[in-house]
Amino acid sequence: MSSLMDANGERLTLDGVSVSFPIYSGGSRSLKKGLLYRGSRGRIASDANDRLVVEALRNVSLQFSIGDRVALIGANGAGKTTLLRVMAGIYEPVSGVVRVSGRISPMFDIGLGIDPELSGLENIRLRGLLLGLSPDEIERLVPDIGAFTELGDYLDLPARTYSSGMLTRLTFAVATCFAPEILLMDEWILAGDAGFLAKAERRIESFVENASVLVLASHNEQICRTWCTKAVWLDSGEVKAVGRIDEILSAYRDELSAP
């Protein structure tokens, strides 16, 4: 098993996790199946029910502990987003086990749950519930969220009356209003117009620093180096390497530049 454990204790474990998505049913010897299989480096195959499936993750075993700051790297289609969604409980593995100790905070779509007919304040409460906050927690956070958005009286108006910039302020403020335990990010979050951007950057930095565990999927090498100390290199749904961020990024860059 690839290990990212330290003395502080295990918080998130994947043991032999595989994920596949069915494409269609049909005969396993069809020409189309054969061509797809060969063209996908083996990631497209047939399952036990003779369905054509995409093997998004294959036998992934990892452990994340308190203090871990881990970058997920790899080419498009390597399985980074699928791995994050398995950790978040969005995708169910076809085999293997995921064990979690602590609250998962997935930051995949910060606009999720916005109802255009509800007011800004009502959307704050709705989005907070979707993030797993209790009603009491949300009410304690509402003043801070409202102040951070700088939307003032607009918070009493329906969200459909907001500009895209105003909606971004609202969703970003809610998404970053609490101290996360296990933070999962699919690319770094940047939000708002030029006047709001610096303020948003300071808030997301504080948000990330307060997380017990960070797992970040990103193609931005500088962001990975800034925020992560370890890396997991995924290739065709499998863990190719695990180690220190500099070592893994260097090896990954060398492979990309190889003839």
Side-chain angles (χ1 to χ4, degrees):
M1 176 181 291
S2 301
S3 178
L4 292 173
M5 286 194 67
D6 61 20
N8 292 321
E10 175 186 316
R11 298 303 297 272
L12 174 61
T13 300
L14 296 92
D15 191 358
V17 169
S18 295
V19 174
S20 61
F21 303 109
I23 301 176
Y24 67 88
S25 299
S28 61
R29 296 182 181 179
S30 70
L31 175 61
K32 187 173 184 180
K33 276 192 175 183
L35 291 174
L36 282 171
Y37 184 85
R38 287 191 292 272
S40 64
R41 293 186 294 175
R43 288 193 59 210
I44 297 180
S46 295
D47 65 7
N49 297 316
D50 202 29
R51 296 176 303 177
L52 193 66
V53 298
V54 175
E55 295 180 323
L57 294 177
R58 291 185 285 180
N59 196 33
V60 172
S61 294
L62 294 165
Q63 295 174 333
F64 303 88
S65 303
I66 294 174
D68 276 341
R69 297 289 186 266
V70 184
L72 300 182
I73 66 171
N76 288 328
K80 301 185 297 298
T81 296
T82 300
L83 180 56
L84 286 175
R85 291 179 182 272
V86 169
M87 293 177 183
I90 298 171
Y91 292 160
E92 186 77 18
V94 295
S95 62
V97 178
V98 179
R99 292 185 292 272
V100 179
S101 174
R103 183 166 67 186
I104 295 283
S105 301
M107 298 287 286
F108 304 150
D109 183 358
I110 64 172
L112 179 67
I114 294 297
D115 187 327
E117 297 304 320
L118 297 181
S119 70
L121 286 172
E122 289 169 326
N123 271 296
I124 287 173
R125 295 184 174 97
L126 175 61
R127 174 63 174 157
L129 292 172
L130 289 173
L131 287 170
L133 302 176
S134 71
D136 288 343
E137 286 178 304
I138 296 168
E139 291 308 314
R140 288 197 298 270
L141 292 167
V142 163
D144 173 71
I145 296 170
F148 186 81
T149 65
E150 301 176 354
L151 293 178
D153 292 339
Y154 279 99
L155 289 172
D156 295 316
L157 298 179
R160 59 179 165 77
T161 65
Y162 291 11
S163 67
S164 59
M166 293 166 69
L167 277 175
T168 298
R169 289 180 178 225
L170 179 70
T171 56
F172 179 84
V174 179
T176 57
C177 70
F178 59 98
E181 293 181 2
I182 301 172
L183 178 58
L184 309 178
M185 297 180 68
D186 198 354
E187 291 297 345
W188 193 253
I189 298 173
L190 294 176
D193 50 68
F196 186 73
L197 196 58
K199 182 178 178 179
E201 184 68 15
R202 289 193 298 271
R203 187 172 175 108
I204 192 64
E205 288 175 0
S206 175
F207 182 68
V208 171
E209 287 170 352
N210 286 329
S212 297
V213 176
L214 168 68
V215 184
L216 166 67
S218 180
H219 291 285
N220 188 311
E221 183 174 316
Q222 184 55 50
I223 286 177
C224 289
R225 290 184 184 277
T226 299
W227 290 102
C228 301
T229 58
K230 304 173 184 177
V232 174
W233 179 2
L234 292 173
D235 183 36
S236 298
E238 297 180 304
V239 176
K240 184 165 185 175
V242 176
R244 292 191 303 156
I245 185 71
D246 290 338
E247 293 176 352
I248 301 302
L249 282 175
S250 178
Y252 178 61
R253 192 168 56 248
D254 288 346
E255 179 166 294
L256 291 179
S257 61

